[in-house]
Amino acid sequence: MSSRPELQAPPEIFYDDVEARKYTSSSRIAEIQTKLSERALELLALPDDGVPRLLLDIGCGSGLSGETITENSHQWIGFDISESMLNVALQNEVEGDLLLGDMGQGLGLRPGVIDGAISISAVQWLCNADKSSHEPRLRLKAFFGSLYRCLARGARAVLQVYPENLAQHELILSYAMRSGFAGGVVVDYPHSTKKRKEYLVLTCGPPSLSSVVPSGKGEDGESCSDDESSGDEENQTVCISDRHRPQKKQKVNKKGKGREWVLRKKDQMRRKGNVVPPDTKYTARKRKARF
């Protein structure tokens, strides 16, 4: 079994001209991308009012997901780091606008202009440090922060991810919550090794009825009930209150900082060569509230 692409090379190098054409020409990959994109749009839960929305496709590649967005009568902007992938998208004359950039450095879009965002198999790349300057936590923070800002209030982002392990899963989820998103994880086919898919369903804004996480699909393709999915720990909705961490309370001595502490600090300053006032009977004596 071949290793994961993100472990072989950075995306802008792995998806060169040869790999980009190979990826796009594969009917199997195209079919998988279409199914994942359709499911992401379903979880996006856009209003069925016939009004086209402006969507963001993060890690759009050669535009396979964008074609599904176009078929659903929406406009879209594609964002990807691989120039070779975007060149293939241009050759295929996709309907969306294309942006070349690194999502780990932020999306750079105007605040509140995007009605929804999807991403297929892209966000887990941020968990790898491809360069000495890359810090996964800072890159995830920049990505989710910029995604939150560019989404309209109440808009959703559906990110299909392939985390390598539970640590990556928790890392991605934690930084999404810290950025202000409400939501959690939807797992389709949780008991299948091959068909299992994870979607991070996020809502821009505080918890509300619109931020309730949908149910995942079971083996029959229907939505799983709460009883069926309760045995799968990773299929549980993340508690929104987890992102509001209580501040650590500093331990305060009721008596305050006494004379011994002040004398010890003054002695340390003297050893460092600083000019310190001499010790007297008034040192560390508590002053009255007023003269």
Side-chain angles (χ1 to χ4, degrees):
M1 184 176 179
S2 60
S3 60
R4 300 166 64 95
E6 59 266 27
L7 300 180
Q8 298 183 35
E12 65 272 25
I13 296 176
F14 180 82
Y15 289 109
D16 55 12
D17 293 341
V18 175
E19 190 65 30
R21 286 193 296 269
K22 178 182 175 183
Y23 185 93
T24 308
S25 61
S26 171
S27 58
R28 174 179 168 273
I29 290 178
E31 181 183 359
I32 294 174
Q33 282 281 102
T34 300
K35 289 181 179 179
L36 294 175
S37 302
E38 289 174 348
R39 177 58 171 156
L41 288 175
E42 179 185 346
L43 294 172
L44 212 53
L46 296 170
D48 189 13
D49 53 8
V51 178
R53 260 63 184 189
L54 178 60
L55 305 182
L56 178 64
D57 184 4
I58 304 164
C60 66
S62 56
L64 295 177
S65 301
E67 292 178 358
T68 304
I69 298 175
T70 301
E71 291 172 0
N72 283 268
S73 303
H74 296 296
Q75 299 175 346
W76 59 281
I77 298 173
F79 192 96
D80 203 279
I81 195 174
S82 171
E83 187 174 358
S84 298
M85 279 289 203
L86 295 180
N87 286 336
V88 174
L90 290 173
Q91 293 170 10
N92 293 338
E93 299 181 349
V94 297
E95 295 292 333
D97 296 322
L98 304 176
L99 296 176
L100 176 65
D102 179 6
M103 61 180 171
Q105 296 181 357
L107 301 174
L109 298 173
R110 290 176 59 187
V113 298
I114 302 298
D115 299 314
I118 67 170
S119 177
I120 307 299
S121 312
V123 176
Q124 71 272 2
W125 287 82
L126 294 176
C127 296
N128 297 284
D130 298 318
K131 302 177 182 178
S132 58
S133 60
H134 283 184
E135 169 53 51
R137 288 174 173 79
L138 295 179
R139 290 170 61 75
L140 285 166
K141 180 181 179 181
F143 166 66
F144 281 113
S146 61
L147 177 60
Y148 186 90
R149 288 189 294 272
C150 75
L151 286 173
R153 191 73 167 178
R156 271 188 179 179
V158 178
L159 315 175
Q160 188 270 323
V161 294
Y162 287 115
E164 185 180 5
N165 47 46
L166 185 59
Q168 278 194 7
H169 174 99
E170 294 177 348
L171 183 65
I172 294 171
L173 199 54
S174 65
Y175 275 89
M177 297 295 113
R178 291 180 188 181
S179 298
F181 283 107
V185 178
V186 172
V187 181
D188 285 351
Y189 313 108
H191 305 296
S192 173
T193 304
K194 292 184 178 180
K195 296 178 66 176
R196 178 188 173 96
K197 297 292 184 294
E198 292 188 18
Y199 298 85
L200 194 57
V201 182
L202 308 172
T203 303
C204 182
S208 64
L209 291 176
S210 62
S211 64
V212 176
V213 179
S215 300
K217 290 184 177 180
E219 294 301 322
D220 55 357
E222 299 296 329
S223 296
C224 297
S225 64
D226 293 338
D227 294 337
E228 292 174 346
S229 61
S230 60
D232 191 345
E233 294 181 358
E234 295 183 14
N235 198 21
Q236 305 305 309
T237 302
V238 174
C239 181
I240 303 305
S241 60
D242 287 347
R243 60 189 174 90
H244 299 296
R245 294 186 173 182
Q247 295 182 352
K248 294 181 179 179
K249 295 182 179 180
Q250 295 182 351
K251 295 181 180 179
V252 179
N253 188 357
K254 293 182 179 180
K255 296 182 180 180
K257 297 174 181 178
R259 179 179 173 84
E260 293 182 0
W261 183 89
V262 174
L263 293 175
R264 187 168 63 253
K265 285 295 180 181
K266 292 178 72 174
D267 191 42
Q268 290 177 0
M269 297 294 286
R270 291 191 186 96
R271 288 199 296 269
K272 292 180 180 179
N274 296 324
V275 178
V276 180
D279 300 334
T280 67
K281 64 178 181 179
Y282 301 106
T283 300
R285 179 179 291 185
K286 186 177 180 181
R287 295 184 179 182
K288 295 182 180 180
R290 59 179 182 175
F291 289 107

